[in-house]
Amino acid sequence: MLFNSLNFAIFLPIVFILYWFATKGNLRLQNILLLVSSYFFYACWDWRFMFLLIFSTLLDYFTGIKIYEATNRRKKLFWLWLSIGVNLGFLGVFKYYNFFSASFADGLQLLGFKANLGSLQVILPVGISFYTFHGLSYVLDLYKNRIKPERNFIDYSVFVSFFPLLVAGPIERATHLLPQILKKREFDYSKAVDGLRQILWGLFKKIVIADNCAEYANTIFNNSADYSGSTLVLGALFFTFQIYCDFSGYSDIALGTARLFGIDLLRNFAFPYFSRDIAEFWRRWHISLSSWFKDYLYIPLGGSKGGMWMKIRNTFIIFLVSGFWHGANWTFIVWGFLNALYIMPSIVFNTHRNNLDIVARGKYLPTIREFFAIGITFSLTVFAWIFFRAANVTHAFTYISEIFSSSLLTIPHFPGIGKAVPIVFLTSIFLIVEWLGREQQYAIAHLGTKWYKPVRWAMYYCIILVIYFFAGSEQQFIYFQF
């Protein structure tokens, strides 16, 4: 069930009404309703993978209690590694088996041997990377004695399966979400309105910007040999805005939906394309995943302790694993490696925490220095996205080599370029709104809240009309494939 589908438009109000009115504020009934709704939501994708979700939930619920009750470190480690092994085992089979099998066969072929290891004809269960990391953070926190196990299976299952975050995050932490699930929740009108506002902005980003940019990016990337360097640059830019508006739009809808039920999820994006360096970009892009890798991989590896070599090694590990987390393709690994290279100067010269504040806070415009810093960071990001979007590494290098040819100086052209003009205009308006709202949780969080009521509602209706008249072809959210 897509967030931007008619099914979800029917599903959400029904659950909302039952949640606040049929349960009469009974926390136990609310959590049971959330769990049943979440399983229904997931089953709409493919009911056959329900067993995997429920098994993963049972595994971490059971091993979590065993870790807590273990009387010595050896037993704790046994239950911890059992959970990690089984969770990553499922992830490995469904997501990475074919990649490793094909890569191993290719490697043997280079050495003069022939091998046919076969491949698995399975589809990737939606959300498996997200709920697996969700569960792993829970057992790792228990092992580190940061939390106590949740013994109510319904409440724990809601923590894992809460439908707004189930298929594409944010990747929650037990320390943040579980207390909210256990606490009595009462309807908060202003919170619900704020949630609806964020859903509206997320729908605009997804349906108007991302889905339209996807059409043009697909046209150019899928036929890149036919186009000039300037058109390929345009294709990379279309994908840059597609992936941001697709994923941050999803996150906006997820956070807004959760707020309708009185629950706050972790923020996942903080205007990353206005970053002044790559380190700042990664503090603002897919925040819940970046912080997950920092807390559960970078720091256990030693973090920045142990000297410069250790810091460089751990940074490369984090980015390579992050790239591989996104998909079983060398393109994602190269993308991760490239981002590690980008961030390396700031690691070596210890400038990676120079830009912690919001750019040009309290001002309408950035300084010239900030402007160029944003431009350089944005250009590096666009370049890296080529690897993320390309079909394979060869395609990415061919795409890039064509960009740096004499055709770069020609006028861009592709079929339907005239229809792209309104989308380019709307994307420009979108960027202005994002810039003006960059100090808020999301761009229109405070936009118009102090305006005369009819004017404010006119703005909301205007956004709805733009969504209706400029909707692109429905595209699945990009991060569902991860």
Side-chain angles (χ1 to χ4, degrees):
M1 192 187 301
L2 291 171
F3 278 168
N4 53 333
S5 67
L6 179 62
N7 289 343
F8 188 72
I10 297 170
F11 167 82
L12 182 59
I14 292 173
V15 179
F16 177 82
I17 290 168
L18 290 175
Y19 181 84
W20 288 117
F21 299 105
T23 62
K24 297 180 179 177
N26 183 302
L27 181 61
R28 183 173 172 77
L29 291 178
Q30 285 180 333
N31 285 347
I32 290 173
L33 177 67
L34 284 183
L35 183 60
V36 172
S37 306
S38 298
Y39 282 168
F40 175 78
F41 177 83
Y42 192 79
C44 287
W45 290 103
D46 195 328
W47 60 268
R48 293 171 298 175
F49 290 117
M50 280 298 300
F51 87 92
L52 203 58
L53 173 63
I54 294 172
F55 178 82
S56 176
T57 306
L58 279 166
L59 173 73
D60 296 328
Y61 171 79
F62 180 73
T63 53
I65 292 173
K66 288 294 183 184
I67 289 169
Y68 184 75
E69 291 178 344
T71 52
N72 58 56
R73 188 167 178 268
R74 192 177 165 189
K75 287 181 181 175
K76 277 180 183 285
L77 275 173
F78 170 79
W79 291 111
L80 175 67
W81 281 111
L82 180 67
S83 172
I84 292 175
V86 175
N87 272 308
L88 294 184
F90 275 121
L91 196 60
V93 169
F94 282 100
K95 190 169 179 176
Y96 298 110
Y97 174 81
N98 289 341
F99 170 78
F100 281 120
S101 169
S103 298
F104 188 63
D106 291 344
L108 286 178
Q109 198 167 3
L110 286 175
L111 297 172
F113 300 101
K114 214 169 190 179
N116 185 7
L117 301 178
S119 59
L120 294 178
Q121 300 300 316
V122 294
I123 56 173
L124 183 67
V126 174
I128 188 171
S129 300
F130 290 92
Y131 67 71
T132 297
F133 271 43
H134 215 126
L136 286 179
S137 70
Y138 174 74
V139 292
L140 287 165
D141 282 346
L142 279 168
Y143 178 74
K144 291 285 185 183
N145 292 320
R146 293 173 183 144
I147 56 172
K148 291 183 179 178
E150 176 49 54
R151 293 179 184 274
N152 184 309
F153 184 69
I154 299 291
D155 294 343
Y156 175 74
S157 301
V158 174
F159 159 69
V160 176
S161 312
F162 185 37
F163 71 88
L165 58 78
L166 180 55
V167 292
I171 301 170
E172 273 289 343
R173 309 294 182 85
T175 49
H176 180 254
L177 183 55
L178 258 177
Q180 296 185 70
I181 291 170
L182 302 177
K183 186 180 173 186
K184 184 174 171 60
R185 300 180 288 273
E186 293 181 353
F187 183 71
D188 183 331
Y189 175 79
S190 61
K191 201 170 187 174
V193 169
D194 188 51
L196 287 173
R197 197 182 295 119
Q198 190 162 7
I199 291 172
L200 179 64
W201 188 238
L203 288 172
F204 171 79
K205 288 158 86 172
K206 168 60 181 167
I207 296 173
V208 177
I209 307 295
D211 285 355
N212 278 299
C213 285
E215 290 183 45
Y216 304 124
N218 290 342
T219 298
I220 296 170
F221 269 89
N222 294 344
N223 306 281
S224 57
D226 300 335
Y227 297 121
S228 64
S230 56
T231 307
L232 298 184
V233 170
L234 204 54
L237 284 169
F238 277 128
F239 181 68
T240 298
F241 286 104
Q242 178 201 347
I243 192 168
Y244 171 60
C245 290
D246 186 286
F247 194 22
S248 71
Y250 170 89
S251 296
D252 280 337
I253 299 168
L255 267 69
T257 301
R259 211 167 292 138
L260 290 177
F261 298 94
I263 293 175
D264 291 313
L265 299 181
L266 291 171
R267 191 183 189 190
N268 224 11
F269 288 88
F271 311 101
Y273 287 162
F274 300 139
S275 300
R276 289 151 290 184
D277 58 43
I278 292 296
E280 184 183 11
F281 175 83
W282 280 106
R283 283 193 294 273
R284 296 177 175 277
W285 178 277
H286 203 174
I287 299 167
S288 64
L289 180 68
S290 302
S291 61
W292 197 100
F293 278 123
K294 178 188 167 193
D295 293 344
Y296 299 108
L297 189 59
Y298 182 75
I299 291 175
L301 283 171
S304 56
K305 296 175 183 173
M308 185 56 69
W309 161 242
M310 184 78 85
K311 205 188 292 188
I312 292 171
R313 185 202 69 173
N314 293 343
T315 303
F316 269 102
I317 290 173
I318 293 299
F319 277 99
L320 290 174
V321 173
S322 173
F324 199 45
W325 177 90
H326 282 83
N329 193 322
W330 285 104
T331 53
F332 296 115
I333 296 174
V334 174
W335 171 76
F337 180 78
L338 199 53
N339 275 284
L341 284 181
Y342 285 169
I343 206 171
M344 207 44 62
S346 64
I347 297 291
V348 172
F349 296 108
N350 203 28
T351 59
H352 58 290
R353 296 184 67 79
N354 275 6
N355 295 310
L356 296 176
D357 197 12
I358 295 166
V359 61
R361 180 186 282 277
K363 300 175 185 173
Y364 280 111
L365 296 172
T367 63
I368 292 176
R369 184 177 178 177
E370 287 171 334
F371 177 79
F372 280 106
I374 292 171
I376 291 168
T377 307
F378 181 76
S379 302
L380 290 171
T381 306
V382 173
F383 184 80
W385 285 135
I386 293 173
F387 287 92
F388 197 96
R389 174 58 182 80
N392 51 55
V393 175
T394 305
H395 180 212
F397 279 115
T398 307
Y399 193 102
I400 291 165
S401 65
E402 189 57 40
I403 285 178
F404 292 104
S405 67
S406 57
S407 64
L408 178 62
L409 303 177
T410 60
I411 296 174
H413 181 75
F414 62 88
I417 192 170
K419 292 180 182 175
V421 173
I423 301 309
V424 173
F425 174 74
L426 286 169
T427 304
S428 304
I429 299 293
F430 158 75
L431 273 177
I432 293 171
V433 175
E434 288 262 305
W435 173 262
L436 295 175
R438 69 193 182 284
E439 295 182 24
Q440 316 303 328
Q441 287 293 305
Y442 57 97
I444 64 167
H446 291 175
L447 183 64
T449 52
K450 294 181 180 175
W451 294 354
Y452 185 49
K453 195 173 179 180
V455 177
R456 186 170 70 248
W457 275 96
M459 178 190 72
Y460 297 146
Y461 280 121
C462 188
I463 295 174
I464 292 169
L465 287 174
V466 170
I467 292 173
Y468 180 77
F469 285 110
F470 292 94
S473 303
E474 186 178 285
Q475 311 274 339
Q476 181 161 293
F477 287 92
I478 292 174
Y479 269 67
F480 283 7
Q481 63 184 295
F482 304 143

